[in-house]
Amino acid sequence: MAEIIQKDGTWTFDGDTVRIVPGRDKGVGLLRQTLGEVAVPLRAVAGISHEPGRKAGRLRLRLRDGADPLLQVTGGRLPESSDPYRLTVETDRSGVAEYFVDEVRNALLLEQVESGPTVAYLLPGPAVPVTVSAGDGTVAFDGDRVVLEWNWKTEDAKSSGGARSFRVADVRSVDWYPAVGLENGWLRFTLAGATASAPAAKYDPHAVELFGFRKDPLMALVAAAVAVRLPHPAAEPADAVPAPAAALTAVEAVRAAEEPADHDALLRRLRELGELHQSGILTAEEFTAAKQAVLRRF
């Protein structure tokens, strides 16, 4: 087991999971504090690095594209203080940081974890219910329904319609963008059936306008909590997969039990089956049958 403890936070690695706990240092952003502990499965990791510095270095964990709903909705726009996958490392702990990097890299090689994009989220996203007040409104999400309420900063054209409430099943997409310079940001929900281009966030009844204040990044947590319950951007539409495809995948796995055993190939096959199950291509019964067939060959 590898562990590094800093004022900025604590990272541990047990061979299967990188656990990230934010610290209490003043440089720890509000998003990281609110998000709390993050457990990153090894199969979601694309790489890790230690960047030395004169005053302090940094550990950076790089996740596979599409593995984390938070990174998916923020698109690299999170400020450094809000990035849960960055750890400030004091210079006298550089050796520990290098050891931590070596342990994770060795595990990635041993398990032959792919570094390419995923077709399903491998992290569960922020916990719900979650409620955030920032900009011109408050957003609450309980895992099923989104509620938007307005405050005194809301434009009359938007607040006159009252609070908005809709189910996550009616959401087609969710977008978060931070305020940059003189340009305000937003958290925007696009509902199914919407055809016309959306108005500016200050007038959009399905968007919260963000002004660049301290709580703005917390809106990204709401966006991630909703996004993880929507179809994955890289997943094929359900109607694009022929009906027999899932069953055929399970049958192929069972037939593979008769082939010569290759443990590395079997591990890869188990990961593939897990991703197929999470994306909905395999039913629970088909996944169980296929997994048992593969496990019998170890």
Side-chain angles (χ1 to χ4, degrees):
M1 179 172 174
E3 181 178 61
I4 179 167
I5 303 174
Q6 296 290 276
K7 294 179 180 178
D8 197 34
T10 299
W11 288 18
T12 59
F13 178 60
D14 61 4
D16 295 315
T17 304
V18 179
R19 296 193 180 276
I20 298 173
V21 179
R24 300 179 179 272
D25 189 66
K26 63 181 180 180
V28 178
L30 188 58
L31 182 148
R32 289 173 59 196
Q33 295 175 14
T34 306
L35 181 61
E37 179 178 331
V38 179
V40 184
L42 185 64
R43 64 194 182 104
V45 178
I48 186 171
S49 63
H50 173 234
E51 304 165 1
R54 293 183 60 185
K55 294 184 177 180
R58 285 184 176 84
L59 266 180
R60 292 190 185 273
L61 192 68
R62 184 167 60 87
L63 272 59
R64 298 169 61 187
D65 290 342
D68 180 16
L70 177 61
L71 296 185
Q72 184 71 33
V73 297
T74 54
R77 296 183 291 266
L78 277 177
E80 284 267 316
S81 62
S82 297
D83 186 353
Y85 306 114
R86 174 198 61 82
L87 180 71
T88 300
V89 178
E90 299 169 8
T91 53
D92 62 347
R93 306 303 289 171
S94 294
V96 178
E98 292 291 349
Y99 172 75
F100 194 96
V101 168
D102 288 343
E103 288 294 293
V104 176
R105 286 179 177 172
N106 290 339
L108 290 171
L109 289 173
L110 182 63
E111 297 295 332
Q112 296 188 350
V113 176
E114 297 182 7
S115 60
T118 68
V119 297
Y121 291 121
L122 303 181
L123 276 78
V128 292
V130 56
T131 301
V132 177
S133 297
D136 69 350
T138 296
V139 182
F141 178 54
D142 62 4
D144 176 61
R145 185 169 292 277
V146 179
V147 178
L148 288 78
E149 297 181 334
W150 314 116
N151 57 36
W152 64 272
K153 297 188 285 284
T154 311
E155 288 286 330
D156 290 341
K158 182 161 70 173
S159 62
S160 61
R164 298 285 170 156
S165 177
F166 45 88
R167 299 190 62 186
V168 69
D170 297 323
V171 177
R172 188 173 69 195
S173 64
V174 56
D175 303 290
W176 175 85
Y177 197 91
V180 179
L182 299 178
E183 179 185 355
N184 290 337
W186 62 80
L187 169 68
R188 187 192 305 276
F189 300 92
T190 302
L191 303 188
T195 54
S197 58
K202 66 188 301 182
Y203 303 116
D204 188 350
H206 297 114
V208 174
E209 186 178 30
L210 304 176
F211 306 129
F213 297 136
R214 180 170 175 262
K215 289 187 176 181
D216 282 10
L218 294 182
M219 284 292 183
L221 296 180
V222 180
V226 172
V228 77
R229 290 164 172 81
L230 302 180
H232 192 278
E236 294 184 3
D239 55 4
V241 181
L248 180 60
T249 305
V251 170
E252 288 176 346
V254 174
R255 288 178 178 173
E258 301 175 357
E259 300 173 1
D262 179 338
H263 283 199
D264 291 337
L266 294 178
L267 288 171
R268 288 194 298 271
R269 186 57 176 163
L270 284 174
R271 285 194 292 270
E272 291 169 0
L273 289 172
E275 292 179 358
L276 288 170
H277 177 48
Q278 290 183 359
S279 62
I281 296 176
L282 282 180
T283 66
E285 293 77 12
E286 291 165 345
F287 171 66
T288 300
K291 183 178 71 172
Q292 289 176 348
V294 175
L295 291 176
R296 282 197 297 268
R297 301 181 59 207
F298 275 93

